[in-house]
């Protein structure tokens, strides 16, 4: 865990869960594994607050607990899962993907589960139906069955998965209901559960309820209480669902490859690659280097008829894809008209390389980018060779090389001619190591995101007075519009004139934050 | 490593590319500036429908998380003197239970926070108050009447007056620890000082200890 990563985790926890959880979380990240007592003692927080924070973190899957070093009899130890915290940066993207694939219902389901960490199917369905009903016009309401079908679709395509059952430390069978739960239990990997994607049978019929403002508060609370006790009656007690982040990442990876193909070649080739990826979605394991081999005949059958690609054209496109230097598609055999695979790892590595090159180009200029690309291709070059190959005058080439060297994007490799590393008799070669450089840029990205979050907090604090004023004015305006007053609105709006400038500043800040996280994600995926 | 000056380097610098007598940029003796000047302008931000939608999603999400019970606020520090305005400001729950119900089967036992119940050993005659978070007003009034009768039987015990308040608040859905009296470790009942709010109100029912 680098310093920047720890800082980013802290800021994200603070943003979503408050200062207490942030303190507990960052301390746990820095110390690695701790017991409850040690954590409370070291953070000097009251024990109850620490317990609450740990509950929140466990609920959201960011903290895992297990039997400690002293075995099952000893105190429980907790550790933080940092990757999970970074996923918080991408929550909007997950929700947007669900929306584009499964509509508003899917979007709300994913949003609810992300907000709550884990949820049962019945409670999700009820909450989402209520929310949808709330937005619908009067008289209509959302039926539970539609939400259930959207939920099932999400589970079938593996976007949602069951939370892993806790395996008791002593017994061999996992998920036994009768045995009393020991103090320290270990959650297993979600994929190891054979029922991971099995939908439970629930008897849930009805429609979403609209929250009526005329209802007394007590009646509402009674209904809410009844809803809670109904949970166990729906038949899926104890089965919790969580978002399958890995599946979303695979989806993003596929999207990145398809968009890269469409940029480099053309739309039709990207459609072919999209078809190939879709066909091998569920059969390819998560970290495979390439997809299952598909024959050209299968691809032709699976292509959507709207594209109108004839068979010989398809063969031409496939051969073009194979010959492309980015190596998106490879040919592994000749049976069935040619067996083709999508080279996932190689495509991602090439994408990462392209990202690196573009970063250098944007930061240092196109000539430095030329030198960088040269070094990537030729691996090791001497000073003189760099000048010759890049066709840049010596002095400028030197200058650029040293700038890149000081930024650690380029490394110097020493090759001695004699056993003693005498400097006059050693070769000094410039080289670029792709993976460490990519990781370095990733850390830069983390740092940028941290800086942006802090800047946003600072700006918000500075303009807090103005923001509150604008909120109040908006509320007043809304109520005035309801009653239909005209003249007063104009005066209110005039008062607001100074506010929009600040508001623009604010939205700009938010924009920046957003954009950076997006850039960060794409880099992150290509690197990991 | 580089010797005692540029003239006495241990290796010939022509290899690395610095010629003789060439002007090297001066070595810097300060840390790099906080906001270094940018030679190239950064690429413009991504805009478009998708980006704006995701921005709106993010803001909404952040706002929603603040209202959920997962957002834990630290307990406010105890002020030195009880202020008049404390009554009108939001009083957070003094008990330490979670506001949401996790499935305790999936959590380690030690994380379970026990809710503090009001002290029962002081007044055994007081009927056991089951947790009824949502109760009608009639039940509250009925309870008050029964308790009032019980009070008149017993000797003036100060805690009875205090039981009313935790009862009413329990009926609203909170179990409060009966701290009010014991908070400042004084001998005075907190409710003795009539602030004048309840003037003409329901203070007739309270049969408090009269000194």
């Amino acid at each position: 865990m680098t310093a920047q990563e720890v800082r980013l985790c802290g800021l994200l926890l603070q943003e979503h869960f408050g200062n207490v959880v942030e303190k507990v979380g960052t301390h746990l990240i820095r110390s690695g594994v701790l017991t409850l007592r040690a954590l409370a003692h070291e953070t000097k927080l009251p024990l109850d607050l620490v317990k609450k924070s740990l509950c929140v973190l466990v609920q959201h899957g960011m903290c895992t607990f297990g039997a400690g070093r002293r075995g099952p009899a000893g105190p429980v130890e907790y550790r933080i899962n940092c990757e999970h915290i970074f996923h918080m940066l991408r929550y909007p993207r997950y929700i947007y993907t669900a929306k584009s694939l499964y509509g508003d219902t899917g979007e709300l389901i994913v949003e609810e589960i992300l907000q709550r960490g884990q949820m049962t199917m019945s409670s999700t369905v009820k909450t989402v139906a209520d929310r949808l009903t709330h937005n619908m016009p009067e008289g209509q309401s959302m039926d539970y069955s539609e939400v259930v079908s959207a939920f099932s679709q999400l589970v079938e395509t593996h976007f949602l998965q069951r939370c892993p059952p806790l395996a008791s430390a002593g017994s061999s069978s996992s998920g036994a209901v009768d045995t009393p739960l020991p103090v320290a239990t270990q959650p297993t990997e979600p994929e190891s559960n054979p029922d991971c994607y099995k939908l439970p049978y629930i008897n849930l019929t009805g429609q979403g309820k609209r929250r009526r403002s005329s209802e007394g508060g007590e009646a509402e609370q009674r209904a809410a209480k009844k809803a809670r006790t109904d949970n166990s009656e729906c038949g899926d007690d104890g089965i919790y669902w969580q978002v399958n982040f890995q599946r979303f990442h695979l989806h993003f990876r596929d999207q990145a490859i398809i968009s890269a193909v469409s940029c480099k070649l053309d739309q039709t080739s990207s459609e072919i690659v999209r078809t190939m990826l879709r066909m091998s979605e569920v059969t390819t394991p998560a970290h495979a280097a390439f997809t299952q081999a598909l024959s050209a005949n299968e691809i032709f059958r699976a292509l959507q008829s709207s594209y109108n690609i004839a068979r010989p054209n398809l063969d031409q496109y496939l051969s073009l894809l194979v010959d492309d230097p980015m190596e998106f598609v490879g040919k592994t055999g000749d049976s069935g008209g040619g067996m083709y695979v999508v080279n996932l790892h190689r495509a991602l590595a090439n994408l990462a390389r392209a990202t690196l090159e573009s970063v250098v180009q944007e930061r240092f200029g196109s000539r430095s980018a030329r030198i960088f690309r040269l070094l990537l291709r030729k691996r090791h070059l001497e000073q003189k060779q760099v000048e010759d190959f890049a066709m840049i005058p010596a002095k400028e080439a030197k200058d650029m090389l040293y700038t890149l060297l000081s930024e650690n994007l380029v490394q110097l490799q020493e090759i001695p001619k004699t056993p003693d590393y005498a400097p006059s008799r050693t070769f000094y070669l410039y080289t670029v190591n792709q993976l460490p450089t990519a990781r370095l840029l990733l850390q830069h990205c983390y740092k940028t995101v941290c800086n942006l979050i802090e800047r946003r907090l600072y700006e918000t604090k500075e303009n807090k007075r103005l923001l509150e004023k604008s909120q109040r004015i908006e509320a007043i305006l809304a109520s005035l519009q309801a009653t239909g007053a005209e003249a007063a609105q104009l005066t209110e709006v005039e008062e607001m004139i100074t506010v929009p400038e600040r508001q623009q500043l604010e939205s700009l800040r938010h924009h920046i934050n957003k954009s950076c996280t997006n850039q960060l994600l794409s880099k992150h995926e290509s690197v990991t | 490593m580089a010797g005692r000056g540029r003239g006495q380097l241990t290796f010939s610098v022509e290899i690395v590319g610095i010629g003789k007598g060439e002007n090297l940029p001066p070595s810097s003796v300060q840390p790099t500036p906080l906001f270094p000047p940018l030679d190239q302008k950064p690429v413009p931000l991504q805009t478009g429908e998708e980006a704006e939608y995701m921005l709106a999603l993010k803001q909404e999400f952040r706002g929603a998380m603040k209202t959920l019970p997962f957002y834990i606020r630290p307990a406010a520090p105890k002020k030195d003197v009880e202020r008049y305005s404390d009554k009108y400001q939001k009083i957070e729950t003094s008990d330490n239970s979670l506001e949401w119900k996790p499935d305790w089967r999936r959590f380690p036992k030690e994380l379970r926070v026990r809710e503090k119940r009001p002290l029962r050993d002081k007044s055994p005659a007081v009927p056991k108050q089951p947790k009824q978070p949502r109760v009608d007003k009639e039940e509250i009034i009925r309870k008050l009447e029964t308790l009032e009768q019980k009070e008149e039987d017993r000797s003036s015990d100060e805690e009875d007056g205090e039981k009313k308040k935790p009862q009413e608040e329990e009926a609203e859905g909170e179990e409060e620890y009966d701290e009010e009296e014991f908070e400042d470790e004084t001998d005075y009942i907190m409710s003795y000082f009539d602030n004048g709010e309840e003037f003409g109100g329901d203070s007739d029912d309270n049969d408090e200890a009269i000194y």
Side-chain angles (χ1 to χ4, degrees):
Chain A
M1 286 306 304
T2 66
Q4 295 305 327
E5 289 177 0
V6 174
R7 194 173 146 217
L8 180 59
C9 286
L11 282 170
L12 285 173
L13 286 176
Q14 184 188 21
E15 204 177 25
H16 290 117
F17 301 121
N19 285 331
V20 179
V21 179
E22 184 241 335
K23 226 183 279 187
V24 169
T26 39
H27 191 84
L28 201 50
I29 296 174
R30 287 210 175 97
S31 337
V33 190
L34 277 181
T35 61
L36 176 62
R37 292 265 160 209
L39 189 58
H41 174 71
E42 286 173 27
T43 50
K44 305 207 178 12
L45 288 169
L47 189 65
D48 284 329
L49 277 182
V50 176
K51 282 187 191 176
K52 272 171 149 181
S53 326
L54 282 174
C55 282
V56 168
L57 286 171
V58 172
Q59 167 79 8
H60 284 262
M62 292 169 197
C63 174
T64 55
F65 56 91
R69 283 161 281 200
R70 304 223 197 110
V76 181
E77 289 189 343
Y78 301 90
R79 66 168 59 82
I80 294 268
N81 187 358
C82 293
E83 282 301 315
H84 224 101
I85 304 186
F86 292 147
H87 293 160
M88 278 209 272
L89 279 171
R90 303 183 200 181
Y91 278 1
R93 201 157 167 209
Y94 299 144
I95 302 174
Y96 184 73
T97 310
K99 181 189 173 88
S100 56
L101 290 174
Y102 298 110
D104 284 338
T105 322
E107 176 196 6
L108 284 182
I109 291 176
V110 171
E111 191 179 341
E112 278 296 314
I113 299 186
L114 281 174
Q115 276 179 1
R116 308 244 164 201
Q118 331 168 343
M119 277 178 97
T120 58
M121 182 167 170
S122 39
S123 51
T124 320
V125 167
K126 282 187 199 136
T127 328
V128 171
D130 289 343
R131 272 180 79 173
L132 283 168
T133 311
H134 193 66
N135 292 334
M136 282 168 135
E138 275 291 336
Q140 293 181 22
S141 68
M142 190 68 170
D143 201 33
Y144 281 172
S145 54
E146 290 180 42
V147 186
V148 168
S149 67
F151 196 97
S152 334
Q153 279 177 329
L154 278 166
V155 171
E156 273 159 20
T157 43
H158 293 350
F159 282 110
L160 294 178
Q161 64 186 177
R162 282 202 203 188
C163 293
L166 297 180
S168 42
S171 63
S172 53
S173 67
S174 61
V177 185
D178 321 342
T179 56
L181 201 67
V183 170
T185 53
Q186 298 244 5
T188 50
E189 284 297 310
E191 293 279 327
S192 60
N193 179 10
D195 294 335
C196 193
Y197 299 111
K198 202 166 85 166
L199 283 165
Y201 174 70
I202 56 171
N203 47 348
L204 189 66
T205 49
Q207 297 184 328
K209 290 175 198 34
R210 188 183 296 276
R211 239 182 307 139
R212 272 178 234 105
S213 50
S214 56
E215 256 180 38
E218 291 173 7
E220 215 180 83
Q221 287 163 357
R222 230 180 293 142
K225 181 196 176 194
K226 215 180 285 179
R228 260 188 274 136
T229 50
D230 273 352
N231 232 353
S232 44
E233 298 166 7
C234 279
D236 69 341
D237 187 34
I239 302 176
Y240 291 91
W241 297 86
Q242 64 187 13
V243 171
N244 185 2
F245 293 113
Q246 205 179 47
R247 178 72 181 88
F248 273 107
H249 295 165
L250 294 180
H251 183 87
F252 296 154
R253 179 199 67 186
D254 295 345
Q255 270 185 340
I257 294 179
I258 293 168
S259 61
V261 171
S262 78
C263 283
K264 187 113 197 280
L265 297 175
D266 75 335
Q267 183 71 14
T268 324
S269 348
S270 78
E271 294 303 330
I272 295 176
V273 175
R274 190 201 300 267
T275 316
M276 286 175 77
L277 283 169
R278 201 182 300 140
M279 283 163 70
S280 45
E281 234 171 24
V282 266
T283 51
T284 316
H287 296 292
F290 34 79
T291 61
Q292 299 278 64
L294 300 162
S295 68
N297 297 331
E298 284 175 6
I299 301 174
F300 183 63
R301 266 197 299 268
L303 268 178
Q304 286 187 6
S305 50
S306 53
Y307 296 130
N308 271 341
I309 305 176
R311 186 57 207 270
N313 290 347
L314 173 69
D315 289 332
Q316 283 178 348
Y317 272 116
L318 282 171
S319 58
L320 269 176
L321 279 167
V322 168
D323 291 334
D324 190 69
M326 290 286 262
E327 293 180 11
F328 291 117
V329 173
K331 188 166 182 180
T332 55
D334 290 315
S335 60
M339 303 292 281
Y340 296 94
V341 290
V342 178
N343 295 322
L344 296 165
H345 279 196
R346 235 175 280 167
L348 283 178
N350 288 329
L351 280 177
R353 189 169 44 87
T355 318
L356 284 179
E357 289 169 10
S358 76
V359 165
V360 171
Q361 182 167 356
E362 293 302 329
R363 284 251 291 263
F364 301 107
S366 48
R367 293 160 114 200
S368 305
R370 207 187 318 160
I371 296 181
F372 191 78
R373 267 193 289 260
L374 186 67
L375 282 171
L376 272 174
R377 271 193 187 84
K378 301 272 189 176
R379 311 296 175 92
H380 296 274
L381 286 175
E382 271 187 344
Q383 168 77 43
K384 189 91 184 32
Q385 288 172 314
V386 169
E387 291 162 17
D388 291 339
F389 281 128
M391 294 182 285
I392 297 177
K395 215 185 278 189
E396 291 170 24
K398 218 179 305 177
D399 204 21
M400 289 178 209
L401 265 175
Y402 291 157
T403 321
L404 288 175
L405 191 62
S406 66
E407 297 283 334
N408 239 336
L409 293 163
V410 156
Q411 281 87 40
L412 208 53
Q413 170 77 38
E414 297 170 359
I415 312 233
K417 292 187 220 175
T418 54
D420 59 339
Y421 276 66
S424 57
R425 291 186 292 276
T426 319
F427 287 117
Y428 289 96
L429 301 175
Y430 290 97
T431 182
V432 176
N433 294 326
Q434 189 172 334
L435 196 53
T437 316
R439 284 210 203 101
L440 170 78
L441 279 184
L442 187 62
Q443 298 299 318
H444 276 296
C445 282
Y446 287 144
K447 185 171 176 185
T448 321
V449 178
C450 289
N451 290 345
L452 284 172
I453 294 180
E454 294 204 0
R455 178 77 194 183
R456 176 170 55 82
L457 291 173
Y458 167 78
E459 288 276 335
T460 319
K461 205 161 51 154
E462 287 286 303
N463 303 330
K464 194 169 161 180
R465 199 194 115 255
L466 274 165
L467 281 174
E468 284 174 4
K469 175 179 171 189
S470 74
Q471 275 177 359
R472 263 183 283 130
I473 289 179
E474 273 170 25
I476 295 172
L477 265 179
S479 62
L480 280 179
Q481 274 168 5
T483 59
E486 282 281 350
Q489 285 180 20
L490 293 174
T491 48
E492 304 280 13
V493 167
E494 279 173 30
E495 269 181 25
M496 274 183 66
I497 293 296
T498 53
V499 178
E501 332 173 343
R502 296 307 184 105
Q503 276 186 344
Q504 270 184 19
L505 247 184
E506 265 306 316
S507 64
L508 189 61
R509 295 291 160 217
H510 285 256
H511 260 118
I512 297 176
N513 200 1
K514 214 42 275 289
S515 87
C516 192
T517 54
N518 271 330
Q519 283 173 7
L520 164 73
L521 316 179
S522 52
K523 278 208 196 102
H524 194 179
E525 273 151 36
S526 359
V527 167
T528 50
Chain B
M1 198 166 54
R4 289 154 304 278
R6 278 207 21 238
Q8 284 137 10
L9 292 168
T10 52
F11 63 98
S12 64
V13 288
E14 284 109 20
I15 307 270
V16 200
I18 308 173
K20 259 198 167 23
E22 236 185 85
N23 289 337
L24 284 175
S27 52
S28 59
V29 293
Q30 302 167 357
T32 47
L34 197 54
F35 294 107
L38 281 179
D39 296 324
Q40 320 267 341
K41 284 279 173 256
V43 183
L45 294 172
Q46 257 182 8
T47 47
E49 190 199 317
E50 201 179 300
E52 285 177 15
Y53 191 77
M54 283 207 259
L55 181 63
L57 274 177
K58 189 181 171 90
Q59 289 178 337
E60 237 180 71
F61 194 88
R62 221 187 293 135
M65 288 303 278
K66 288 217 160 63
T67 60
L68 282 177
F70 303 117
Y71 197 88
I72 298 185
R73 293 180 173 82
K78 278 206 168 8
K79 301 206 191 66
D80 47 352
V81 176
E82 192 181 315
R83 307 269 168 195
Y84 179 75
S85 58
D86 281 349
K87 236 193 344 276
Y88 297 102
Q89 282 172 1
K90 192 175 61 161
I91 310 168
E92 63 239 14
T93 56
S94 52
D95 69 348
N96 280 319
S97 63
L98 292 170
E99 283 105 32
W100 48 290
K101 279 241 169 303
D103 187 0
W104 291 113
R105 293 170 293 185
R106 297 183 60 87
F107 284 67
K109 277 208 190 118
E110 60 180 10
L111 286 184
R112 190 159 190 172
V113 180
R114 293 282 158 215
E115 293 159 5
K116 293 184 183 164
R117 302 194 178 276
L119 297 178
R120 288 196 217 141
D121 45 345
K122 299 271 172 137
S123 40
V126 172
K128 182 177 188 308
Q129 291 137 26
K131 199 172 21 174
Q132 288 180 37
R134 287 78 174 111
V135 190
D136 306 80
K137 297 193 170 55
E138 288 89 30
E139 289 189 32
I140 301 176
I141 297 178
R142 254 183 282 127
K143 254 196 217 162
L144 287 173
E145 282 168 0
T146 50
L147 279 167
E148 192 188 317
Q149 299 202 346
K150 288 209 170 76
E151 263 180 26
E152 283 163 9
D153 301 337
R154 272 185 291 110
S155 57
S156 62
D157 203 2
E158 355 185 87
E159 278 106 31
D160 285 342
E162 299 308 320
K163 282 299 168 218
K164 306 274 174 56
K165 285 211 201 76
Q167 265 178 50
E168 285 171 11
E169 278 154 358
E170 249 185 73
E172 286 161 17
E174 285 182 6
E175 281 186 334
E176 250 193 8
Y177 184 54
D178 192 10
E179 281 180 355
E180 206 179 336
E181 274 197 320
F182 308 105
E183 206 169 1
D184 295 346
E185 294 174 346
T186 61
D187 294 329
Y188 302 105
I189 321 171
M190 287 300 129
S191 57
Y192 175 73
F193 295 97
D194 188 12
N195 347 49
E197 285 184 340
E198 302 160 324
F199 184 68
D202 57 347
S203 52
D204 305 319
D205 285 343
N206 290 348
D207 201 11
E208 295 182 35
I210 302 168
Y211 288 93

